[in-house]
Amino acid sequence: MKNNNLIVILPFIFLITLSVLITASVSGSDSPVIFKKRPVTSDYLGGQSVGATDLDQDGDVDIVIVENFNSKISWFENDGNYNYTENLIEDRDRTYPTAIMPVDLDKDDDIDLLVAEEGLYPSYDGSVVWFENDGSQHFTCHYIDSDCRGPNSLDIADLDHDGDMDVIAGSWALSDLAWYINDGNQNFTKYLINENYTGIISPLAIDLDQDGDMDFLAAASKSNEIIWFENDGLFNLTRNILIENFNQARSVHAIDLDNDEDLDIIVAAGDQNEIAWWENDGNQTFTKHSLKRHFEEAKLVYSVDLDFDNFQDVIGANTFSILWWHNKGGHEFNEYVVEPSFPNLTSIDLFDMDNDGDLDILACRDLGSEIAWWENQPNIGASLEMPSHEFHPGDDCYLKTEIYNYSGEDQTQIPFAVILEAYGEYWFYPDWTQDVGYEILDVPVGFTEKDIIETFPWPADVGMASGLHFFSLFLKPDLSDMLGVIESWEFGWRD
């Protein structure tokens, strides 16, 4: 079947990946997305916490950061072409800031900044402050709490459902967990949730039991526990130890990983050298599943659907590298490397840095003096490192793949194109000519191996190839709502 208009819909390329092949084998990345590093600066000493936002509201994404060593708060202005200029917001003179979050705290339609400052060891005479933006990136500092003992982590949420943002702060050094109720005019009332409870870090406001009120989840890193503070709806909090003996838990995140409509928990633990998730049975009883053991000094964990397949993926980091785990459903995860070497990593944020509709990864490191982000790109083809082989016209080749269809019903009569690229030219299945064409495909429910092309003759005039790309696309963009990622290609030839 021929369709000379096919090329018009090539921007809807949706599913590609390659993996280990059979017969005369070839290999490539089977990751549904790949990440390309984009440097911001290598001259920012002591970056402790980083965030992304369009601070100047000019349509591109800027970066905010705190420097712990020199107590600086800065933002990097994006000129629209990903060239960044540092602007000092304030030199805080030995307050030792540890966390920053962009948020429109006063609801005046510009972005303010929330900052935690741990103070000087050993007294940890810290504070929680916010910097009010006047709309022109001139900032005024306001204290939420000038007597907060060593805060080093923050969260924001409308805790009391009154339409404004409240603040949560945790202290690892002095083990406080506090929350601050905003009266709507940025006057904050402090409540101490739990005093002296062994190294509170990574506080999270979330309705864990889904009863309509906000609970609190936090890591108690010194006692190696994950604590759930259950809200009865009247802010009477009951402490529940959900996870024990996970040594030096440093980061906690809650999300529905297994698509069963309750919230599971993901944790990174430094002394345990592990990232794991705990499956919620719906009654807040949890079963552990390990994602990565022997992950030295694991410190950060996040979750988001990176590849738009309706499963929440996991991003994790230790002090050296960034990884991600592709959630394939059924408790199955594939591990991929975002960045193998980013020593002294301190902070990560997930944000659409290039405004292309997917989430990228922003990170900073302290002693390395570096800020960078990694662009999330669909893996729309993999270069094949071919063994030396001269193809002749008519050589017998085959192409297989695996497709996951989670729509709940068989999908039939699906228009599907397979394209071979070699030396910058394209050959289209089913005729394997340079005339554009496609095939009609049936995709049954579930996970299935599919003989896309049981046998095909090697196209004329391609000859010996040292590198190939196979591309594929479903010709209806709405199929992304029904079909998961093509998990692997299998290409080979028979001599």
Side-chain angles (χ1 to χ4, degrees), residues 253-402:
H253 191 82
I255 202 162
D256 184 6
L257 271 184
D258 51 3
N259 286 3
D260 63 351
E261 300 184 354
D262 54 40
L263 294 174
D264 309 301
I265 296 173
I266 318 167
V267 186
D271 285 353
Q272 191 88 11
N273 298 323
E274 184 177 3
I275 290 180
W277 70 282
W278 276 260
E279 180 182 359
N280 188 349
D281 69 354
N283 295 304
Q284 290 60 253
T285 299
F286 293 86
T287 302
K288 180 183 176 183
H289 304 274
S290 183
L291 283 174
K292 178 74 170 178
R293 295 187 175 92
H294 310 297
F295 192 43
E296 186 176 355
E297 298 183 38
K299 67 182 302 179
L300 294 170
V301 70
Y302 302 87
S303 184
V304 70
D305 183 4
L306 285 172
D307 58 340
F308 302 108
D309 65 351
N310 292 337
F311 291 102
Q312 300 296 319
D313 307 304
V314 178
I315 301 94
N318 61 7
T319 54
F320 316 104
S321 60
I322 307 170
L323 306 180
W324 79 282
W325 290 266
H326 178 216
N327 185 352
K328 298 171 64 177
H331 298 181
E332 184 177 358
F333 291 83
N334 284 353
E335 177 185 308
Y336 302 101
V337 177
V338 174
E339 173 55 57
S341 180
F342 201 67
N344 304 303
L345 182 150
T346 52
S347 176
I348 280 178
D349 192 21
L350 303 179
F351 203 88
D352 185 2
M353 301 294 294
D354 49 3
N355 290 323
D356 66 348
D358 55 38
L359 288 175
D360 309 298
I361 299 174
L362 172 68
C364 68
R365 56 191 182 118
D366 51 11
L367 299 180
S369 307
E370 186 176 6
I371 307 169
W373 62 279
W374 287 260
E375 182 182 355
N376 180 349
Q377 300 176 333
N379 190 358
I380 58 171
S383 295
L384 304 182
E385 294 301 324
M386 301 282 288
S388 180
H389 183 83
E390 183 172 359
F391 294 93
H392 300 93
D395 280 356
D396 190 17
C397 303
Y398 65 88
L399 185 65
K400 297 181 180 180
T401 191
E402 293 174 340

Side-chain angles (χ1 to χ4, degrees), residues 146-282:
S146 60
D147 185 26
C148 186
R149 305 190 309 166
N152 63 357
S153 45
L154 295 167
D155 197 18
I156 50 175
D158 183 5
L159 298 175
D160 52 358
H161 303 292
D162 65 350
D164 52 47
M165 300 305 292
D166 308 303
V167 176
I168 305 96
S171 167
W172 178 86
L174 296 175
S175 305
D176 286 346
L177 180 58
W179 55 289
Y180 304 87
I181 288 295
N182 184 352
D183 69 355
N185 294 305
Q186 291 64 250
N187 302 304
F188 292 88
T189 302
K190 180 178 180 178
Y191 297 86
L192 202 60
I193 297 175
N194 199 74
E195 192 171 359
N196 297 322
Y197 197 74
T198 60
I200 293 295
I201 196 168
S202 190
L204 182 66
I206 193 162
D207 184 6
L208 189 65
D209 53 1
Q210 298 179 306
D211 64 351
D213 51 49
M214 297 299 290
D215 308 307
F216 299 96
L217 194 64
S221 61
K222 295 180 183 178
S223 60
N224 309 317
E225 296 167 334
I226 302 299
I227 311 299
W228 169 39
F229 296 92
E230 182 181 359
N231 184 356
D232 68 353
L234 299 172
F235 300 101
N236 300 306
L237 302 176
T238 301
R239 189 181 70 201
N240 302 275
I241 299 175
L242 299 182
I243 299 168
E244 297 181 279
N245 302 317
F246 201 53
N247 296 338
Q248 201 188 50
R250 293 181 174 184
S251 179
V252 60
H253 191 82
I255 202 162
D256 184 6
L257 271 184
D258 51 3
N259 286 3
D260 63 351
E261 300 184 354
D262 54 40
L263 294 174
D264 309 301
I265 296 173
I266 318 167
V267 186
D271 285 353
Q272 191 88 11
N273 298 323
E274 184 177 3
I275 290 180
W277 70 282
W278 276 260
E279 180 182 359
N280 188 349
D281 69 354

